[in-house]
Amino acid sequence: PELAAGPEGAAPADASAAGEQSGTAQNGPAPANFTEQVALGQRLYGAKCASCHGSSGEGTGDAPRVVGLKDGALPLEPPADRKFRKSEFKTVMDVGAFVVANMPPNQGGSLSTEEYFSILAFDLKANGIDLGDKKLDAELAKTLTIPR
């Protein structure tokens, strides 16, 4: 899938600029559906995200909460004290565009498109959102509004 630039041009204009590969860093096949994306995303979150965002996505002094929408995760407006985020998070694609451009810190775009969407799938599932047999990609992400 192609990661389109967000409203503020937060993501590379094409997936190849985002480091897209046919598989994943683990050299396995790309996930076929949301369940497989969540499983891969869980492993990637542990390796790439947990040290800053917390093992359960609860946030730390270094990075905000990404799990617990009712507890302030992924707010619509960027908090004033945030170093990186300057755009609104209306849709899952808004979050995706930001993540590709900025995460991991100082390494934005370093993961494959499949890896970024798998981490997003894991985050959605951790926030109680299940896409069933669908596969999270840019087109679907543009249609999914972050529940408030």
Side-chain angles (χ1 to χ4, degrees):
E2 184 173 293
L3 286 179
E8 304 214 27
D14 62 55
S16 61
E20 182 174 24
Q21 303 161 6
S22 59
T24 65
Q26 289 77 23
N27 295 319
N33 57 42
F34 188 71
T35 300
E36 290 180 12
Q37 286 179 299
V38 169
L40 174 60
Q42 182 176 15
R43 291 191 303 275
L44 290 168
Y45 179 89
K48 304 284 186 181
C49 313
S51 63
C52 291
H53 290 282
S55 61
S56 299
E58 71 277 12
T60 67
D62 294 325
R65 159 185 296 281
V66 294
V67 174
L69 297 175
K70 292 180 180 174
D71 295 322
L74 308 175
L76 175 63
E77 298 292 333
D81 63 342
R82 290 293 153 212
K83 293 184 262 184
F84 298 107
R85 182 177 160 210
K86 304 298 180 201
S87 60
E88 290 187 338
F89 282 173
K90 292 179 184 173
T91 68
V92 172
M93 193 61 215
D94 293 339
V95 177
F98 171 80
V99 170
V100 168
N102 296 286
M103 298 294 132
N106 302 313
Q107 297 175 37
S110 64
L111 305 178
S112 73
T113 300
E114 290 290 347
E115 290 170 323
Y116 280 114
F117 276 112
S118 293
I119 292 168
L120 284 171
F122 172 67
D123 193 36
L124 290 176
K125 181 74 171 178
N127 278 297
I129 299 165
D130 191 333
L131 301 180
D133 62 356
K134 295 178 184 176
K135 182 174 179 179
L136 183 62
D137 61 17
E139 290 307 306
L140 181 57
K142 289 174 191 175
T143 70
L144 300 173
T145 303
I146 306 290
R148 305 278 171 218

